[in-house]
Amino acid sequence: MSDADARSEMEMDSVSPLAVDEAAELTTRIADNVERVIVGHRDAVEHILVALLSRGHLLLEDVPGVGKTMLARAVATSLDGSFNRVQFTPDLLPSDVTGVNVFNEKTREFEFQPGPVFANVVLGDEINRAPPKTQAALLEVMAEEQVTVDARTHAVPDPFTVIATQNNVEPGQTYELPVAEIDRFAKKIRLGYPSEDEETELLSRLTGEHPIESLEPVASVHDVRRARATVSGVTVREPVRAYVSRLARYTREHASLGASPRGAIALVRAAQVRAVFGGRSYVVPDDVQTEAATVWGHRVRTDGDVPGATVVERALEDVAVE
């Protein structure tokens, strides 16, 4: 059975949504488990879970050594699903990411050898160290959850989420991500350095065996699919949808590149997850405001020195909630 056939058969199986309080408890359980490894980044863990449950992807940007890769790995380990890591380097080829057809001497036919994107959680480490051609290998799979090789389409597992990291140092040795790929990341966050107390606790945990080695899964991929179904059922009433639309229009009028329709959809989905975190089956404007900065900050571009995140902040201040 091909990957596409397997996915189609799986999607035909009914996935009953969790109750809202059960979905909220699931996210808390995963976050608590991750905190056995990661110190002081509860908000970052929640952002990753928002991306996961909203069917999106997340970009982690920061200086080296602050725990970006370990955070992504801890979240993936907490789920009893498949996990692959891709170390992006200047010599990495697109086929090294997506897979390639290999000629089988016995059958005298070409067989598809899946690349590392065929996993529930894919960690793209230092994605901006690979050239644009290799970065572009993720465009299709991030948008459509499938890979096309030699005119044949292969579906990736469900759920599927990319967590990519990039360093914001050594600009002469990295390649800026294209706008089309940036727009495919539902959220972009930074970790920052730990506080003195957090770093002290971190050092105490790492005097022996690294806690990631003993971390156990606390949720299954079926749990994630059920939680995603819960999120999809969260009510987003017309006034909230109109509010998101007005915010998007503001960014387009006050920046050279505003939030795209894909960005507006991502914000609504992220707000649905945030509502579940709060134990609600409906979205309120506060959910939108909580998620706007990390969902739109990397999408909005200006011609001057004003960061996109600043435009988003001004939108939240100037656009009235009706």
Side-chain angles (χ1 to χ4, degrees):
M1 179 183 295
S2 68
D3 294 330
D5 291 340
R7 185 184 178 102
S8 297
E9 182 175 307
M10 178 180 61
E11 288 177 343
M12 287 190 294
D13 296 335
S14 59
V15 177
S16 58
L18 296 170
V20 170
D21 58 341
E22 292 176 326
E25 190 278 329
L26 174 69
T27 62
T28 300
R29 188 165 73 244
I30 296 172
D32 289 344
N33 198 52
V34 172
E35 285 192 320
R36 295 178 53 199
V37 176
I38 303 298
V39 179
H41 290 298
R42 181 77 176 206
D43 57 340
V45 177
E46 290 184 355
H47 285 307
I48 293 179
L49 293 177
V50 169
L52 176 68
L53 296 184
S54 65
R55 305 173 186 272
H57 313 284
L58 181 133
L59 182 62
L60 274 167
E61 180 183 80
D62 221 313
V63 298
V66 294
K68 301 186 298 297
T69 301
M70 192 55 61
L71 172 59
R73 184 179 170 192
V75 172
T77 304
S78 297
L79 307 175
D80 191 17
S82 54
F83 169 69
N84 283 332
R85 176 179 179 272
V86 187
Q87 179 63 55
F88 281 76
T89 58
D91 61 346
L92 193 72
L93 299 175
S95 58
D96 295 330
V97 177
T98 59
V100 64
N101 283 322
V102 177
F103 188 71
N104 187 321
E105 291 285 353
K106 292 183 178 180
T107 63
R108 310 298 295 175
E109 295 180 348
F110 282 96
E111 296 178 353
F112 179 66
Q113 299 297 320
V117 294
F118 287 83
N120 295 120
V121 178
V122 177
L123 171 60
D125 217 357
E126 297 185 299
I127 188 174
N128 58 333
R129 290 199 181 276
K133 184 177 182 179
T134 301
Q135 293 174 6
L138 290 174
L139 292 176
E140 179 187 12
V141 70
M142 290 177 66
E144 303 176 36
E145 299 188 357
Q146 64 181 31
V147 169
T148 302
V149 177
D150 294 339
R152 184 178 179 187
T153 299
H154 307 269
V156 295
D158 177 34
F160 171 75
T161 292
V162 173
I163 302 174
T165 71
Q166 68 173 7
N167 295 330
N168 57 0
V169 296
E170 300 178 324
Q173 301 179 39
T174 57
Y175 303 84
E176 184 178 0
L177 295 181
V179 173
E181 186 156 356
I182 285 287
D183 198 48
R184 279 164 168 75
F185 284 101
K187 298 171 78 71
K188 177 183 176 182
I189 64 172
R190 291 180 172 86
L191 296 183
Y193 289 111
S195 67
E196 182 178 341
D197 290 342
E198 291 169 349
E199 192 160 14
T200 301
E201 172 63 20
L202 174 65
L203 295 174
S204 71
R205 293 188 186 187
L206 299 181
T207 53
E209 182 185 57
H210 198 294
I212 192 68
E213 303 302 330
S214 58
L215 197 68
E216 297 289 339
V218 295
S220 67
V221 292
H222 184 64
D223 293 332
V224 173
R225 287 196 290 268
R226 294 187 67 192
R228 282 182 166 186
T230 304
V231 169
S232 296
V234 170
T235 301
V236 186
R237 298 192 182 279
E238 195 279 335
V240 175
R241 300 195 301 270
Y243 177 51
V244 172
S245 181
R246 291 197 303 275
L247 289 172
R249 186 173 68 250
Y250 182 100
T251 66
R252 295 163 192 164
E253 293 173 349
H254 293 80
S256 57
L257 181 65
S260 66
R262 180 191 285 128
I265 294 170
L267 180 54
V268 169
R269 289 178 174 174
Q272 287 177 295
V273 180
R274 190 60 63 173
V276 170
F277 283 2
R280 283 178 281 103
S281 60
Y282 55 90
V283 171
V284 298
D286 281 350
D287 299 322
V288 174
Q289 294 165 355
T290 299
E291 292 297 322
T294 57
V295 175
W296 281 0
H298 60 295
R299 290 180 159 96
V300 177
R301 304 287 182 93
T302 64
D303 293 328
D305 297 329
V306 179
T310 299
V311 177
V312 177
E313 291 172 5
R314 291 173 181 172
L316 294 174
E317 293 171 357
D318 295 347
V319 177
V321 177
E322 296 180 0

